[in-house]
Amino acid sequence: MRLTGKKIIALVDEDFEDLELWYPIYRAREEGAIVHLVGSERGKTYIGKYGVPAISDYAYEEVESADYDAILVPGGWAPDKLRRYDKVITLVQEMNEAQKPIGQICHAGWVLISAKILNGVTVTSTPGIRDDMENAGAIWKDESVVVDGHIISAQRPPDLPPYGKAFCDAVAGK
């Protein structure tokens, strides 16, 4: 249980990609981490693209990056909504400044783009937002998972096993 005592924020909003939210959460919880789902409202039920619900533990405004060891940004259409919240951008920027692990998969790169933290960072994402990532200054790789320091990125749901491991490795400090 190498993540015992570690606390992770998992951002959530409507139309998250079901597997891209839940797989890394369960993976981190299996290793002992405490993972809080954080949305625009505390206790709200958000519905994924395929109908899987997720109930937020906290609202964005109720959490502080200093209280957490890492953050997960899911894919799906949720990132387009997430990046519109100032507090989400602040959380990601603060995590980046503190060099805490930031996990992003598929379209989640949109949130990191809006946080303006990708200049010179090597990442991957769904190929559909490659241009967006590169225009934000990222070095985009066509690989299933890319780790550049504290930023862990993956392309799609089939990449979840190596992404989950790479994220947990980063949280564990390996």
Side-chain angles (χ1 to χ4, degrees):
M1 302 282 278
R2 64 187 176 146
L3 301 186
T4 299
K6 301 287 187 178
K7 289 176 60 181
I8 300 169
I9 293 170
L11 297 172
V12 65
D13 207 316
E14 297 295 341
D15 297 319
F16 59 87
E17 205 296 338
D18 306 61
L19 289 172
E20 293 171 358
L21 176 74
W22 286 111
Y23 188 102
I25 288 173
Y26 288 140
R27 179 75 173 78
R29 285 178 177 168
E30 286 173 350
E31 294 218 28
I34 296 166
V35 183
H36 291 142
L37 277 88
V38 181
S40 60
E41 298 174 43
R42 174 196 282 254
K44 180 176 177 180
T45 300
Y46 298 88
I47 304 299
K49 286 173 49 178
Y50 303 106
V52 176
I55 301 171
S56 59
D57 299 303
Y58 296 102
Y60 306 130
E61 300 298 331
E62 296 177 304
V63 298
E64 297 299 329
S65 62
D67 298 331
Y68 289 87
D69 300 290
I71 191 166
L72 284 164
V73 186
W77 304 124
D80 190 40
K81 297 173 180 77
L82 291 167
R83 65 184 177 166
R84 300 174 196 199
Y85 293 97
D86 290 339
K87 180 63 178 201
V88 168
I89 298 305
T90 299
L91 287 168
V92 170
Q93 289 171 334
E94 290 173 352
M95 290 287 196
N96 185 60
E97 288 168 17
Q99 301 286 292
K100 293 180 180 180
I102 299 171
Q104 65 103 42
I105 184 168
C106 200
H107 285 83
W110 279 337
V111 176
L112 280 65
I113 289 168
S114 293
K116 298 180 178 23
I117 65 167
L118 291 180
N119 192 35
V121 178
T122 303
V123 294
T124 194
S125 66
T126 178
I129 67 165
R130 175 183 180 167
D131 290 347
D132 301 329
M133 301 290 270
E134 290 178 336
N135 288 335
I139 301 157
W140 192 88
K141 299 286 184 184
D142 186 11
E143 297 175 11
S144 61
V145 176
V146 172
V147 177
D148 188 349
H150 64 285
I151 297 179
I152 303 92
S153 56
Q155 288 191 337
R156 302 178 187 93
D159 305 316
L160 283 164
Y163 170 64
K165 181 183 183 316
F167 179 78
C168 289
D169 286 349
V171 176
K174 299 197 178 221

